[in-house]
Amino acid sequence: MKTKSLSIVIFFTFLLFGLSCHSQVLRKRTTMLMGGRFDISIIAKDSLAAEQNIDFIITEISRIENLISDWKPTSQVSEVNQNAGIRPVKVNQEVFDLTKRALHLSKITNGAFDISFAAMDKIWKFDGSMTEMPSAEAIKKSVEKVGYTNIILDSVNSTIFLKLKGMKIGFGALGEGYATHKCQQMMLAKGIESGIVNATGDMSVWGTQMNGKPWNIGITNPFEPSLILATISLKQGAVTTSGSYEKFVVFNGKRYSHIINPATGYPSTGLCSVTVFGPNAETANGFSTSAMVLGQKQAIQLLKKYPDYYYIMFTDSGKMIKSENFPKHQLKRYKTKQKSN
């Protein structure tokens, strides 16, 4: 349902360490986890504390990956998939609760978000090899095993059952958002007051930079990813982006995104990228993904119901749409030359 594309950039504008009013150090590390890149930045009282806490974060993300990765045959999610149409599978409370929240996202988005997208046939190619659209019959068949209403949860026994043989669930980027939020909360509980956990553009942010100023998050131009259109200042929260500008096809003058509607099997159209800000990266990711599928009008209607979250959308024609509840004075615009679509 969503292939991640890096469409937000972090700007670090640190002063010299000696200018900080407290003795602190910044440490960063990049690692590959959950099938993607994680950039971890921690500010702590000394180098040892910073490095140790980065280790804790990596250990926690690895634990979550081993629990929910549908590509790891030993994970609980893989066991659920292997028993689709056969029997319910008992999972631990963490997996059960994550699945329950994912199903809630499916309901409130009318299926624009659906963790059973993992069973979708990969009939769309975005590597330049497609010369014509798949047939309507092939598209319909591609989503035969997709449908969140066929995921049965039993809260008494903590089981998940996929009703149809061949069904699969997969958390994808939602799992990454969950991991970044979990690590943010873990660090705050440990007294680490500042940091960023960034999963290929979906990130959880807390505290301030070394100079006491908020973190500056850059919004890239989806038609020219090397250019920054704007920055937003954040002290606490999450930022997630879904975008189609790096992978798409054009047939008969219409642009088709690599983000597929799990209900219909057709690629999303109309929006080029959606960046959502809010308190929780897991929820924000669900909203940014769903918004791409729903399109401008329905996405705006959905997000209006959740005032803790705000957004910036770019249409296929290059128009930028900012939510009505976007914090005043937090967005700094840059004048850049934008490519025409």
Side-chain angles (χ1 to χ4, degrees):
M1 184 164 54
K2 177 183 177 185
T3 301
K4 297 300 296 300
S5 54
L6 184 60
S7 53
I8 46 183
V9 179
I10 309 171
F11 284 87
F12 297 102
T13 55
F14 299 111
L15 294 178
L16 293 174
F17 290 175
L19 296 180
S20 176
C21 58
H22 301 288
S23 175
Q24 292 180 315
V25 297
L26 165 71
R27 289 293 180 267
K28 305 178 189 179
R29 201 182 305 173
T30 296
T31 187
M32 298 299 293
L33 292 163
M34 301 181 78
R37 170 175 165 164
F38 276 76
D39 294 295
I40 304 164
S41 302
I42 290 293
I43 295 176
K45 61 182 180 180
D46 55 49
S47 297
L48 180 61
E51 294 291 350
Q52 285 179 337
N53 281 286
I54 290 176
D55 289 338
F56 290 146
I57 287 172
I58 291 174
T59 298
E60 176 66 0
I61 297 170
S62 297
R63 183 192 69 80
I64 294 170
E65 179 178 16
N66 287 325
L67 203 59
I68 69 171
S69 289
D70 57 307
W71 63 86
K72 286 184 175 290
T74 57
S75 75
Q76 291 189 6
V77 167
S78 289
E79 186 180 357
V80 170
N81 292 341
Q82 290 158 10
N83 286 279
I86 301 172
R87 65 174 179 86
V89 173
K90 186 175 181 62
V91 298
N92 70 16
Q93 196 63 43
E94 185 175 7
V95 175
F96 187 88
D97 289 344
L98 180 59
T99 305
K100 185 176 181 179
R101 292 194 301 272
L103 289 183
H104 177 68
L105 272 168
S106 297
K107 290 174 184 176
I108 65 176
T109 62
N110 292 318
F113 180 90
D114 192 331
I115 57 170
S116 67
F117 79 97
M120 188 185 301
D121 293 336
K122 308 298 188 292
I123 61 172
W124 294 88
K125 308 294 181 183
F126 300 92
D127 57 3
S129 63
M130 287 186 73
T131 57
E132 61 182 8
M133 285 183 63
S135 68
E137 182 180 356
I139 293 171
K140 182 179 180 180
K141 188 176 184 300
S142 73
V143 293
E144 282 182 347
K145 303 298 184 182
V146 177
Y148 71 93
T149 57
N150 289 314
I151 302 172
I152 309 302
L153 302 184
D154 182 343
S155 58
V156 174
N157 297 302
S158 190
T159 62
I160 302 173
F161 178 50
L162 309 182
K163 290 173 65 175
L164 306 178
K165 284 191 175 182
M167 276 191 75
K168 295 179 182 178
I169 59 173
F171 292 101
L174 188 80
E176 294 177 0
Y178 168 67
T180 70
H181 181 72
K182 195 87 165 31
C183 290
Q184 176 201 53
Q185 298 304 302
M186 180 178 72
M187 289 294 101
L188 287 169
K190 288 173 60 65
I192 301 301
E193 298 178 353
S194 299
I196 294 179
V197 182
N198 177 10
T200 322
D202 286 1
M203 64 182 74
S204 292
V205 177
W206 70 101
T208 62
Q209 300 182 62
M210 292 284 292
N211 58 11
K213 294 183 179 181
W215 302 99
N216 292 316
I217 309 299
I219 309 299
T220 64
N221 182 339
F223 299 96
E224 189 65 56
S226 62
L227 298 179
I228 302 301
L229 281 178
T231 61
I232 182 169
S233 299
L234 284 182
K235 283 187 177 180
Q236 183 87 15
V239 188
T240 71
T241 294
S242 298
S244 66
Y245 52 86
E246 291 181 339
K247 294 181 180 180
F248 61 91
V249 291
V250 178
F251 294 125
N252 299 321
K254 189 172 184 178
R255 192 172 184 274
Y256 293 90
S257 159
H258 74 284
I259 298 174
I260 310 296
N261 184 329
T264 66
Y266 282 86
S268 63
T269 60
L271 292 174
C272 182
S273 76
V274 179
T275 298
V276 175
F277 305 82
N280 187 311
E282 177 191 327
T283 304
N285 178 272
F287 284 154
S288 62
T289 302
S290 302
M292 286 290 298
V293 172
L294 290 169
Q296 177 184 333
K297 185 177 180 180
Q298 290 186 62
I300 290 172
Q301 290 174 348
L302 170 69
L303 289 167
K304 273 185 177 180
K305 299 175 184 177
Y306 301 91
D308 287 342
Y309 294 84
Y310 50 100
Y311 59 82
I312 292 176
M313 300 178 183
F314 289 93
T315 68
D316 285 345
S317 63
K319 180 182 178 182
M320 187 178 87
I321 302 162
K322 188 172 63 172
S323 60
E324 293 178 356
N325 65 335
F326 206 98
K328 294 181 178 178
H329 312 303
Q330 277 192 232
L331 187 71
K332 180 181 178 182
R333 294 289 304 274
Y334 293 94
K335 290 184 178 181
T336 59
K337 184 178 180 182
Q338 183 170 288
K339 282 185 175 181
S340 59
N341 189 32

